[in-house]
Amino acid sequence: LVEKEHDGHGGWRIDQIDSNIEGWFGTIKDPDVILLHIGTNDFGQNNDTPNAINRLDALITKIAVARPYAHIIVTNLMERGEPQNTAIQTEFNPLVQGVVTAQAGLGRRVTFLDMRAAVPLSDMPDNLHPDQNGYDKMAAAWLPAIQAFIGVDGDAFAPELARAVGATDYTEVDITFSKPVADSAANPAFYSIDGGLTVSAATLDTDKRVVTLTTSAQTVGTSYTVTVNGVVDRTAGALALAANSTIDFAAAT
């Protein structure tokens, strides 16, 4: 089957992606990698091009804050016909790597990819869109950029607690981890909850990212803190969740 978990929108600008990204995140599973190649339509539509780089910076920030455990690979813009190409090379491309470096300096998982160097204008019959040869070159550039920090079993970061959400039956809570975790994460002894709740069972989902805890009856609208110990990821090194990691959730209302 063709992999279709992507959001490619013909003619869209940075601001349009920015307006929709948080809504999309609410409807999909947490991504491990986000490939961000956006901006050429800002120049094609002459949409406040001097501030396009600022819009890209703001979009990266929004993505990194919403999904801090995803690895974001940001590219510069490929060559295109004039006069847009000169504007891109003047107002945007020279600044992209600096924006990415600054984001990484804030501790965000953001890296830069020089996509412009990968695909020449000769692979774009209309001076804008790649032909199949151009798309193959783009894929060949994306792949090693992903493999640089994502292996078969995940990245080199220890797992963390991403979210906890109580179920409407008041006897379950879903714990989402930042990355796939070992099957042993389904050990209920690894979890404790304050407020007098007890944990009787734990189930790891097929994606190895979410553990559903079965608890004693939760009180409607009450906030609880889950403490987790003993969980490790699926890498050969079995990187461990920090001891006594905690995350809060509220019983459904």
Side-chain angles (χ1 to χ4, degrees), residues 10-163:
W12 276 37
R13 305 180 307 269
I14 297 170
D15 63 304
Q16 292 170 297
I17 299 295
D18 187 282
S19 296
N20 287 274
I21 192 70
E22 290 177 320
W24 292 331
F25 283 151
T27 63
I28 64 172
K29 296 178 181 178
D30 286 6
D32 293 306
V33 181
I34 297 172
L35 310 180
L36 187 59
H37 181 229
I38 185 69
T40 197
N41 291 319
D42 291 65
F43 289 85
Q45 298 173 30
N46 195 29
N47 181 53
D48 186 21
T49 58
N51 284 308
I53 192 65
N54 296 327
R55 292 193 294 276
L56 177 68
D57 190 26
L59 175 58
I60 295 170
T61 297
K62 180 174 285 190
I63 293 172
V65 169
R67 291 295 180 268
Y69 306 112
H71 292 270
I72 309 167
I73 304 174
V74 182
T75 77
N76 53 11
L77 300 181
M78 297 184 294
E79 190 174 1
R80 61 176 295 173
E82 296 293 359
Q84 292 87 1
N85 188 63
T86 294
I88 286 170
Q89 285 295 83
T90 302
E91 301 174 352
F92 194 84
N93 272 2
L95 305 174
V96 175
Q97 188 165 9
V99 163
V100 170
T101 298
Q103 290 280 349
L106 295 173
R108 294 167 180 160
R109 301 181 186 183
V110 184
T111 55
F112 171 75
L113 172 62
D114 185 1
M115 187 63 77
R116 185 180 181 89
V119 186
L121 193 61
S122 58
D123 289 323
M124 302 178 196
D126 63 355
N127 288 330
L128 176 59
H129 300 97
D131 56 18
Q132 187 58 56
N133 191 46
Y135 284 123
D136 290 345
K137 290 178 180 178
M138 291 182 73
W142 284 123
L143 182 58
I146 296 169
Q147 292 174 325
F149 50 84
I150 294 286
V152 174
D153 296 316
D155 59 28
F157 291 88
E160 297 183 44
L161 299 174
R163 285 184 304 284

Side-chain angles (χ1 to χ4, degrees), residues 193-197 218-226 247-253:
I193 306 176
D194 68 352
L197 288 189
Q218 302 161 18
T219 301
V220 177
T222 299
S223 293
Y224 296 97
T225 298
V226 184
I247 195 162
D248 298 333
F249 77 96
T253 58

